[in-house]
Amino acid sequence: MALDPSFVGRSYPPGAVYEVGREKIREFAEAIGDPNPAYVDPDAAKALGHSDVIAPPTFAFAISYKAASLVISDPELGLDYSRVVHGDQKFAYSRPVRAGDRLAVTSTIESVKSLAGNDIVQIRGEVHDASGEHVVTAWTKLVSRAADTAESGNDTNGDA
Amino acid sequence: MAAAISYDDVEVGTELPARDFPISRATLVQYAGASGDFNPIHWNEKFAREVGLPDVIAHGMFTMAVAIRVVTDWTVDPGAVEEYGVRFTRPVVVPNDERGATVHVTAKVAAKLDDNRVRVDLTATADDQKVLGMSRATVVLA
């Protein structure tokens, strides 16, 4: 079903603050198999100029996607979540996420379109710390596949 | 933030050390727990087949996470990454056997930008097929 284009530009205010813990970063780094000491050793992180251990670049997705799920599940938007696949993902960092951060995400629907029966929505998540400074922006493009195809992945031609 | 690689030492075409990243079912379960993404297409074969997939597939975000390691291992400081984006063009199928799947990642400097920044273009393949498209990062070098 086609999405309502009037949703473009709609913003969703931050929900609960996400507090970044050292052990969560360690768990994530281990799960991606990355032994970089900047993720687990505060002294190693400090030697690189960071005030505490930092998170791997894609860690921010767990935070931004939690906020984006509120958008995706907005019944007025009408996205069929059961058919959603991840199309594109992009991050732009002002600084790495680090332990001790208290982060808030503001989500905005940047574009909605329908292409060959697929519904495509791009959500921008602006992540700020407790002092209001920008940390990272995450762009997530989701594709709800047309109901009559059973292809895996996606074959969209949407812009990034 | 100090990167181990100097801007003056790289040129367009400089290749970063390529790497292979093995993925097993256990990898996916561990990533599901750490990331909070418990979509059953990443651990339940029956469910994956029911929604039209050939088998369990890796989280796209897992593939994205390992691909940037080629860059962060090179810069040493992961904080050197200023921008990173990918397109998920094809799922990485992870069979339930001894072999699992392997993602092969290569990267090279595609452009030298202002202020010690470079654009790095990445390729990620599994079974010789591209799994990421438009995969690029902007990185600050020393």
Side-chain angles (χ1 to χ4, degrees):
Chain A
M1 110 185 162
L3 300 176
D4 181 350
S6 75
F7 273 76
V8 174
R10 186 175 293 206
S11 274
Y12 296 73
V17 163
Y18 185 104
E19 186 165 341
V20 181
R22 282 184 185 168
E23 292 306 325
K24 189 64 197 178
I25 292 176
R26 176 196 298 275
E27 182 189 3
F28 187 87
E30 284 175 355
I32 61 171
D34 193 335
N36 194 312
Y39 302 145
V40 291
D41 177 356
D43 290 335
K46 279 173 192 150
L48 295 170
H50 306 294
S51 59
D52 204 327
V53 294
I54 62 171
T58 61
F59 181 83
F61 182 77
I63 303 164
S64 69
Y65 193 67
K66 197 171 277 198
S69 337
L70 297 176
V71 180
I72 299 154
S73 57
D74 184 340
E76 288 179 45
L77 176 62
L79 193 70
D80 181 357
Y81 183 61
S82 69
R83 306 199 62 78
V84 161
V85 295
H86 200 171
D88 292 23
Q89 181 63 39
K90 187 182 169 189
F91 302 98
Y93 309 87
S94 289
R95 65 162 175 85
V97 170
R98 61 177 174 247
D101 272 340
R102 294 175 56 82
L103 302 174
V105 188
T106 303
S107 301
T108 303
I109 297 181
E110 216 165 52
S111 68
V112 295
K113 59 181 129 186
S114 294
L115 206 68
N118 297 318
D119 287 333
I120 302 160
V121 56
Q122 173 143 299
I123 300 163
R124 184 181 73 243
E126 305 269 5
V127 182
H128 292 87
D129 66 17
S131 62
E133 295 292 315
H134 177 261
V135 178
V136 54
T137 298
W139 289 267
T140 299
K141 184 180 284 181
L142 299 171
V143 181
S144 184
R145 293 172 297 152
D148 57 347
T149 63
E151 285 175 31
S152 57
N154 74 78
D155 55 359
T156 65
N157 301 304
D159 51 355
Chain B
M1 291 170 213
I5 303 292
S6 165
Y7 181 80
D8 295 330
D9 290 343
V10 304
E11 47 198 88
V12 171
T14 297
E15 291 186 8
L16 283 60
R19 287 209 48 175
D20 283 334
F21 299 97
I23 308 177
S24 69
R25 291 290 178 86
T27 315
L28 300 184
V29 171
Q30 189 177 359
Y31 184 78
S35 68
D37 182 346
F38 293 100
N39 189 327
I41 59 173
H42 305 306
W43 51 269
N44 184 329
E45 211 164 288
K46 178 169 170 286
F47 183 90
R49 293 217 160 93
E50 276 169 10
V51 297
L53 295 167
D55 203 336
V56 161
I57 63 169
H59 303 73
M61 288 306 301
F62 178 85
T63 305
M64 186 176 186
V66 295
I68 196 66
R69 276 208 45 202
V70 165
V71 175
T72 56
D73 285 356
W74 183 63
T75 59
V76 178
D77 182 5
V81 177
E82 286 200 336
E83 287 186 14
Y84 177 36
V86 305
R87 174 166 295 171
F88 302 104
T89 50
R90 179 183 286 273
V92 176
V93 175
V94 182
N96 187 24
D97 59 23
E98 297 304 307
R99 200 170 137 262
T102 299
V103 173
H104 177 67
V105 182
T106 66
K108 64 174 193 298
V109 174
K112 291 188 81 172
L113 312 171
D114 292 341
D115 299 325
N116 283 14
R117 282 162 178 75
V118 295
R119 197 186 92 213
V120 175
D121 286 1
L122 300 117
T123 66
T125 57
D127 280 334
D128 295 324
Q129 291 187 299
K130 272 179 76 169
V131 294
L132 298 178
M134 308 279 290
S135 183
R136 52 183 60 164
T138 306
V139 185
V140 193
L141 300 180

